[in-house]
């Protein structure tokens, strides 16, 4: 190398130069201590899953914000239920299927505590707390007296052990309690026979596992990364902040309580002199001094009174709480007012803006998780069981599985404007009436049947309302022609005569 070559600027390029331009990959002073391990999400779940799950359950039970966020998440996710609308072309067969399904939903819970839509709400809560939920399909006998001999049993995440990672006797791999075959398909789940935290179940000292075929188990969870096999709690990103904030609030409340107990302090020149309001000592040698309203006490020479003036939290407490809870809401993916119930700083525009974004996320989970992982398999299994039990005669069982799941309706801040916008969209051909009705959470055919029945009933009873079923409603309901004889014309003539008389009297 020549003498001048040493002073030349090195050539740019190569992997090192590309890596240096990525700020997140630098190793300078401020990022030198940031060296996270490159671990797969399954390794993180297997190692920290049990502790994370235990902390999440305790947080939802003991923390008011976490409990409120859990209920808001479940109520917006499923509401009163994600309901099916069969796409069978035969109208009579479709009606029988829908009616049988509606009757069976009351018997769907194996524990008999709720219906199928109540199970959906429980699954949504488990997704928030544990990140996943298992639903076991339990076939029943004919003598059990069910309309369709099939029920659902919910199993918590703790029922599937995270630590069970081994090779099965048949050569399959068991990862976090889930058994996979050689090509990576789920073939079985190894559940515990009892909950590890249930002290009331003393059947076995150490819970054993039982192998359940995968076709009888539904694993509902939101996959975050490719290849993820177990779910993560939805509350996980906000757990630390919620826990520390709860501790801070408890400490602040206890400090204020302790400070409020001291009303004042009396400084005496002689400790043996009795204090004003002091009672005689009890058996423990403890005396109590109290004050009564309107007391005028003359102090002895040299005595003084110092009243307690505890330190206040200052004006930064509200701002600190707001910013912390705002970060918690962002971590949970929930609007601030749904987590805290505080709408003081909200208005119509801000509420609607955050609700639009939040509901877009909820719709993603409704269709991609709840409907796909829970509702569709249950519908297919229910149709098969109903046909085998003789409750349904399906000429084409595969075609009968075609169904559309209708999520619950959204209640907007200003429903009048939304309904008017929907009417204008239908009139312009931008959307169909079916889509508008299904957006309210109802089946359009069921609504049409009810409207037709209402129209027949009102006609038979001789009733007349401002708007009949099927007519244009609201301010756009302007008659094109005046009613003729027999349609209220006499009433119109009477009105015209009355108006003429009033005009004559004014003249």
């Amino acid at each position: 190398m020549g003498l001048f070559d040493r002073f030349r600027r090195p050539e740019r390029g190569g992997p090192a130069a590309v890596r240096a331009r990525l700020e997140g990959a630098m190793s300078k002073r401020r990022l030198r201590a940031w060296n996270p391990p490159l671990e797969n999400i399954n390794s993180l779940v297997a190692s920290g899953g049990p502790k994370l799950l235990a902390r999440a359950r305790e947080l939802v039970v003991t923390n008011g914000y976490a409990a409120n966020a859990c209920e808001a998440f479940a109520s917006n996710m499923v509401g009163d239920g994600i309901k099916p609308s069969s796409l069978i072309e035969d109208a009579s067969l479709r009606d029988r299927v829908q009616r049988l399904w509606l009757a069976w939903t009351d018997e769907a819970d194996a524990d008999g505590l709720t219906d199928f839509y109540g199970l959906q709400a429980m699954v949504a809560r488990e997704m928030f707390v544990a990140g996943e939920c298992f639903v076991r399909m339990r076939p029943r006998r004919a003598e059990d007296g069910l309309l369709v001999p099939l029920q659902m049993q919910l199993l918590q995440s703790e029922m599937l052990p995270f630590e069970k990672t081994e090779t099965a006797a048949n050569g399959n791999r068991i990862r976090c309690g889930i058994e996979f075959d050689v090509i990576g398909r789920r073939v079985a789940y190894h559940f515990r026979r009892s909950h590890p935290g249930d002290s009331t179940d003393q059947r076995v000292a150490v819970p054993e596992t039982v192998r359940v075929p995968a076709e009888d188990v539904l694993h509902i969870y939101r996959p975050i990364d490719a290849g993820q096999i177990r779910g993560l709690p939805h509350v996980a990103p906000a757990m630390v902040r919620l826990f520390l904030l709860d501790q801070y609030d408890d400490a602040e409340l206890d400090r204020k309580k302790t400070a409020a107990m001291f009303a004042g302090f009396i400084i005496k020149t002689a400790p043996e002199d009795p204090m004003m309001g002091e009672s005689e000592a009890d058996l423990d040698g403890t005396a109590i001094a109290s004050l009564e309203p309107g007391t005028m006490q003359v102090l002895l020479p040299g005595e003084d009174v110092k009243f307690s003036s505890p330190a206040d939290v200052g004006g930064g407490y509200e701002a600190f709480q707001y910013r912390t809870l705002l970060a918690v809401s962002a971590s949970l993916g929930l609007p601030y007012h749904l987590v805290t119930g505080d709408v003081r700083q909200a208005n119509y525009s801000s509420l609607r803006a955050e609700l639009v974004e939040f509901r877009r996320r909820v719709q993603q989970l409704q269709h991609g998780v709840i409907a796909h992982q829970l509702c569709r398999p249950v519908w297919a299994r229910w149709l098969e069981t109903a046909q085998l039990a003789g409750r349904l005669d399906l000429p084409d069982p595969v075609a009968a599985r075609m169904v559309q799941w209708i999520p619950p309706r959204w209640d907007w801040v200003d429903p009048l404007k939304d309904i008017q916008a929907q009417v204008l969209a239908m009139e312009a051909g931008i959307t169909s009436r079916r889509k508008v009705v299904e957006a309210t959470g109802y089946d359009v055919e069921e609504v049409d049947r009810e409207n037709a029945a209402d129209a027949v009933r009102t006609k038979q009873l001789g009733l007349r309302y401002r708007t009949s079923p099927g007519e244009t409603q609201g301010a756009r309901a302007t008659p094109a022609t005046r009613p003729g004889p027999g349609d209220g014309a006499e009433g119109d003539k009477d009105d015209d005569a009355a108006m003429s008389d009033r005009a004559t009297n004014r003249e």
Side-chain angles (χ1 to χ4, degrees):
M1 179 181 294
L3 177 61
F4 295 99
D5 292 338
R6 300 179 181 178
F7 300 97
R8 291 178 179 176
R9 181 175 298 177
E11 296 181 2
R12 297 181 179 273
V18 175
R19 187 165 54 248
R21 286 197 296 269
L22 298 176
E23 185 180 6
M26 291 181 180
S27 298
K28 294 186 178 181
R29 177 182 57 82
R30 59 175 180 168
L31 301 179
R32 191 172 300 161
W34 188 14
N35 296 309
L38 188 61
E39 289 185 328
N40 184 267
I41 190 172
N42 294 323
S43 300
L44 298 176
V45 171
S47 59
K51 180 173 290 187
L52 188 68
L53 181 57
R55 289 176 175 176
R57 290 202 183 279
E58 182 184 13
L59 195 66
V60 172
V61 172
T62 59
N63 188 278
Y65 294 120
N68 190 44
C70 179
E71 293 300 324
F73 178 84
S75 61
N76 282 273
M77 178 72 69
V78 298
D80 57 356
I82 302 178
K83 303 175 182 179
S85 176
S86 177
L87 300 179
I88 300 176
E89 296 182 357
D90 188 352
S92 60
L93 178 59
R94 182 175 61 249
D95 184 63
R96 291 199 304 271
V97 170
Q98 292 285 153
R99 290 179 180 274
L100 182 61
W101 168 267
L102 181 61
W104 172 81
T105 54
D106 295 336
E107 304 174 347
D109 186 12
D111 296 329
L113 301 177
T114 183
D115 60 357
F116 177 71
Y117 304 114
L119 293 178
Q120 290 181 357
M122 295 177 65
V123 169
R125 293 189 187 96
E126 280 296 304
M127 285 184 58
F128 183 88
V129 180
E132 61 183 358
C133 184
F134 299 95
V135 179
R136 185 178 180 183
M137 298 185 183
R138 305 302 298 264
R140 300 305 186 189
R141 298 184 177 90
E143 54 268 22
D144 292 334
L146 301 176
L147 291 174
V148 177
L150 178 68
Q151 287 184 322
M152 306 289 109
Q153 179 186 10
L154 261 61
L155 300 175
Q156 292 183 328
S157 180
E158 294 90 336
M159 297 297 291
L160 196 70
F162 289 93
E163 64 276 6
K164 191 175 183 59
T165 300
E166 58 191 35
T167 301
N170 55 6
N172 293 336
R173 296 173 301 163
I174 301 178
R175 303 168 58 190
C176 295
I178 306 175
E179 183 178 337
F180 297 87
D181 61 8
V182 293
I183 61 175
R185 293 179 303 184
R186 303 185 181 212
V187 295
Y189 293 82
H190 294 260
F191 288 107
R192 291 187 173 102
R193 294 185 181 273
S194 60
H195 195 286
D198 189 359
S199 60
T200 62
D201 192 352
Q202 302 292 340
R203 290 181 296 177
V204 288
V206 178
E208 300 177 353
T209 58
V210 57
R211 185 179 185 272
V212 181
E215 55 266 21
D216 293 335
V217 178
L218 304 179
H219 187 188
I220 298 96
Y221 72 102
R222 181 172 68 100
I224 302 175
D225 292 345
Q228 181 180 348
I229 61 176
R230 297 289 298 264
L232 280 176
H234 190 83
V235 70
M239 286 176 56
V240 177
R241 286 183 179 271
L242 283 172
F243 176 70
L244 296 179
L245 181 63
D246 196 21
Q247 284 189 324
Y248 167 72
D249 282 339
D250 287 343
E252 187 62 37
L253 180 62
D254 193 68
R255 185 182 70 84
K256 296 293 290 184
K257 175 184 175 183
T258 304
M261 290 181 178
F262 295 96
F265 306 92
I266 298 179
I267 301 175
K268 301 192 300 182
T269 56
E272 65 275 4
D273 292 339
M275 188 167 46
M276 63 175 179
E278 181 180 359
S279 60
E280 295 183 358
D282 54 11
L283 298 178
D284 297 332
T286 304
I288 301 175
S290 62
L291 294 176
E292 297 180 359
T295 300
M296 298 294 293
Q297 179 68 31
V298 179
L299 300 179
L300 297 177
E303 291 185 345
D304 191 11
V305 176
K306 298 292 184 182
F307 289 97
S308 174
S309 56
D312 197 1
V313 293
Y317 179 78
E318 287 288 339
F320 170 75
Q321 288 281 73
Y322 174 74
R323 284 298 172 185
T324 304
L325 291 173
L326 200 63
V328 168
S329 302
S331 302
L332 296 175
L334 294 171
Y336 172 80
H337 72 279
L338 290 183
V339 177
T340 63
D342 182 13
V343 294
R344 292 177 300 172
Q345 303 184 29
N347 52 39
Y348 173 78
S349 300
S350 62
L351 283 177
R352 189 177 181 89
E354 65 177 354
L355 284 177
V356 167
E357 176 62 26
F358 169 65
R359 289 171 177 177
R360 186 179 291 112
R361 296 185 182 185
V362 169
Q363 288 174 347
Q364 184 184 48
L365 295 177
Q366 287 175 341
H367 294 280
V369 177
I370 301 296
H372 185 77
Q373 298 180 6
L374 173 65
C375 298
R376 291 182 181 180
V378 170
W379 176 265
R381 186 68 173 267
W382 176 82
L383 285 176
E384 179 184 358
T385 306
Q387 187 175 21
L388 293 176
R391 293 291 184 178
L392 291 176
D393 185 13
L394 303 175
D396 190 355
V398 177
R401 294 182 181 179
M402 301 297 294
V403 63
Q404 181 178 3
W405 292 94
I406 304 174
R409 67 185 183 276
W410 298 118
D411 294 325
W412 290 103
V413 181
D414 192 348
L416 176 60
K417 293 182 179 179
D418 292 290
I419 293 177
Q420 291 175 345
Q422 291 172 352
V423 171
L424 293 176
M426 285 190 298
E427 293 178 351
I430 299 176
T431 186
S432 64
R433 182 174 171 273
R434 173 182 290 272
K435 295 295 183 183
V436 173
V437 174
E438 289 177 352
T440 63
Y442 298 101
D443 186 3
V444 63
E445 297 181 358
E446 180 181 357
V447 173
D448 291 341
R449 287 195 299 268
E450 292 178 355
N451 283 336
D454 290 343
V456 173
R457 185 172 61 255
T458 54
K459 184 177 181 180
Q460 292 176 350
L461 297 177
L463 301 176
R464 186 173 182 179
Y465 300 100
R466 179 180 179 183
T467 304
S468 301
E471 294 181 1
T472 307
Q473 302 183 14
R476 303 180 64 87
T478 304
T481 58
R482 295 182 60 86
D487 293 330
E490 297 298 332
D492 293 339
K493 293 180 180 179
D494 295 338
D495 294 340
D496 294 340
M499 293 176 62
S500 178
D501 295 338
R502 287 195 295 269
T504 303
N505 293 334
R506 285 197 299 268
E507 292 177 355

